[in-house]
């Protein structure tokens, strides 16, 4: 019997980089929330002790480099599973976009295998395993709205933002998080006011949230890829109440409460890039 898991994309409401750690990772504080843009994962048991991945994407490998494959291998090793699995990924989330596409696939595989093989691992255990795969995986295992600290593995659940629409506009480039972190001038970055964003979430204050969202990586990504700034300006001019780059970019998102306004912004952004989405926050 196959297991189906939805793998939602995330956006960052904030991303702060505090310092570089002795283990070469960066200490971060990221407030993230899930949105209703999904990859779909299908897990089917197979007789041999193997992991197979199928997906249609020009940009994502279907071998052991795939984060879904890595998640299945980590799960099998941790729980000493000798069964095999076929993973089919229906990819809808843009790749190398700052929307956590690979991480959410990995998280969905961990959740799904837990059911398929009846392991009964807790969400915390799955998130801990996910941290070995990537720093956004623990958040994706938990979902909803949360702040991730440490190198992304410490998760604290937060109240969701006030209901709103999210318009995503991805410039026609892919950005590697590694490149952005390597080019980060850590002494001169702008730090988001994380406390203010937390206050806005607890107060469910949409205007305050929009005024406070911020991303310490944005200046670096913009320096390397000026088109990101161009798309952000277009999103602001189109009338989004809050606008920011998600993750290490290049996707720019706009937040707005009225559906009619969201539609107008969506239509206007389609004139500037091919990948534009209008979605809701799942939170
Ligand atoms: P984040 O926001 O977590 O930094 P991202 O959205 O910027 O992630 P991804 O879409 O996760 O980036 O892709 C980053 C890299 O991971 C790409 O080079 C891609 O080929 C690779 N990758 C491996 N497995 C997957 C997967 N299942 N889905 C998407 N990308 C994957």
């Amino acid at each position: 019997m196959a297991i189906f898991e939805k793998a939602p994309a995330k956006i960052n409401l904030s991303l702060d980089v505090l310092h570089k750690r002795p283990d070469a990772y960066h200490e971060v504080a990221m407030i993230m929330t899930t949105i209703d843009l999904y990859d779909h994962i299908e897990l089917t048991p197979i007789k041999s002790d193997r992991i197979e991945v199928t997906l249609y994407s020009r940009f994502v490998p279907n071998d052991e480099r795939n984060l879904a494959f890595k998640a299945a291998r980590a799960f099998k090793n941790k729980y000493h599973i000798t069964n095999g699995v076929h993973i089919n990924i229906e990819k809808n989330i843009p790749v190398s976009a700052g929307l956590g596409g690979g991480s959410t696939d990995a998280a969905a595989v961990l959740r799904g295998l837990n059911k398929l093989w009846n392991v009964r691992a807790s969400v915390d255990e799955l998130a801990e395993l996910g941290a070995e795969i990537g720093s956004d995986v623990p958040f994706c295992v938990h979902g909803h709205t949360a702040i991730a600290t440490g190198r992304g593995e410490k998760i604290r659940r937060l109240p969701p933002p006030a209901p709103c629409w999210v318009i995503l506009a991805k410039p026609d480039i892919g950005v590697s998080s590694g490149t952005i972190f390597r080019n980060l001038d850590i002494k001169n970055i702008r730090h988001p006011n994380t406390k203010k964003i937390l206050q806005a979430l607890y107060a469910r204050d949409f205007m305050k949230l929009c005024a406070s969202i911020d991303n310490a990586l944005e200046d670096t990504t913009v320096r390397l890829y000026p088109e990101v700034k161009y798309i952000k300006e277009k999103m602001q001019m189109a009338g989004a109440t809050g606008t920011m780059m998600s993750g290490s970019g290049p996707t720019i998102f706009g937040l707005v409460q009225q559906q009619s306004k969201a539609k107008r912004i969506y239509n206007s952004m389609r004139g500037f890039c091919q990948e534009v989405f209008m979605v809701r926050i799942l939170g």
Side-chain angles (χ1 to χ4, degrees):
M1 200 189 62
I3 295 277
F4 296 88
E5 280 288 323
K6 281 170 139 188
K10 58 85 183 165
I11 52 170
N12 288 78
L13 298 174
S14 75
L15 195 167
D16 197 7
V17 183
L18 303 168
H19 56 86
K20 198 161 181 183
R21 312 178 349 162
D23 62 7
Y25 286 101
H26 288 86
E27 188 78 14
V28 294
M30 307 183 282
I31 301 177
M32 292 177 274
T33 191
T34 44
I35 53 175
D36 71 344
L37 171 64
Y38 298 98
D39 285 350
H40 293 277
I41 308 287
E42 181 182 355
L43 302 172
T44 316
I46 52 174
K47 290 223 170 67
S48 54
D49 180 7
R50 295 182 58 224
I51 301 165
E52 300 168 354
V53 177
T54 49
L55 83 164
Y56 290 103
S57 167
R58 273 190 299 147
F59 309 107
V60 184
N62 65 355
D63 52 25
E64 68 283 350
R65 289 168 297 169
N66 196 296
L67 296 187
F69 184 104
K70 289 185 184 175
R73 187 171 53 198
F75 192 93
K76 273 166 65 59
N77 289 344
K78 166 102 184 179
Y79 298 106
H80 312 292
I81 308 280
T82 50
N83 299 334
V85 65
H86 180 96
I87 305 169
N88 185 55
I89 305 174
E90 184 194 311
K91 197 102 201 105
N92 301 311
I93 304 172
V95 178
S96 300
L99 299 172
S103 306
T104 193
D105 292 352
V109 165
L110 295 177
R111 284 194 304 268
L113 291 182
N114 198 29
K115 292 179 199 156
L116 186 70
W117 291 326
N118 207 13
V119 172
R120 293 166 192 245
S122 67
V123 172
D124 285 339
E125 267 178 279
L126 296 180
E128 198 181 318
L129 190 55
E132 293 170 20
I133 301 158
S135 50
D136 284 341
V137 183
F139 166 75
C140 293
V141 168
H142 285 269
H144 303 283
T145 304
I147 179 164
T149 51
R151 62 181 180 94
E153 82 286 10
K154 295 181 198 147
I155 307 291
R156 179 159 64 90
R157 179 90 176 259
L158 296 172
C164 65
W165 293 93
V166 184
I167 297 95
L168 304 167
K170 179 183 168 282
D172 303 332
I173 48 167
V175 169
S176 131
S177 311
T179 305
I180 302 307
F181 275 97
R182 272 193 300 280
N183 280 279
L184 203 61
D185 178 6
I186 200 135
K187 286 194 201 78
N188 292 312
I189 53 176
R190 190 181 73 224
H191 294 283
N193 188 340
T194 304
K195 214 168 152 188
K196 205 166 154 201
I197 302 166
L198 291 173
Q199 284 167 355
L201 286 174
Y202 279 102
R204 300 208 93 195
D205 185 335
F206 180 73
M207 297 311 282
K208 185 169 176 174
L209 180 71
C210 289
S212 342
I213 52 178
D214 203 359
N215 185 338
L217 301 180
E218 204 175 274
D219 290 344
T220 307
T221 306
V222 162
R223 181 159 50 81
L224 298 176
Y225 303 97
E227 51 269 66
V228 173
K229 185 165 181 227
Y230 175 77
I231 294 297
K232 185 175 180 183
E233 283 168 0
K234 295 294 173 199
M235 185 76 85
Q236 283 163 335
M237 280 160 60
T241 314
T243 309
M244 200 182 90
M245 185 184 83
S246 187
S248 50
T251 303
I252 293 289
F253 68 85
L255 302 178
V256 67
Q257 283 193 299
Q258 306 92 322
Q259 184 174 13
S260 53
K261 202 167 175 190
K263 274 195 183 145
R264 273 207 309 279
I265 298 172
Y266 169 82
N267 287 332
S268 134
M269 293 313 292
R270 283 183 7 132
F272 303 108
C273 34
Q274 280 174 11
E275 288 181 283
V276 183
F277 302 84
M278 179 176 149
V279 297
R280 300 222 68 165
I281 280 182
L282 293 172

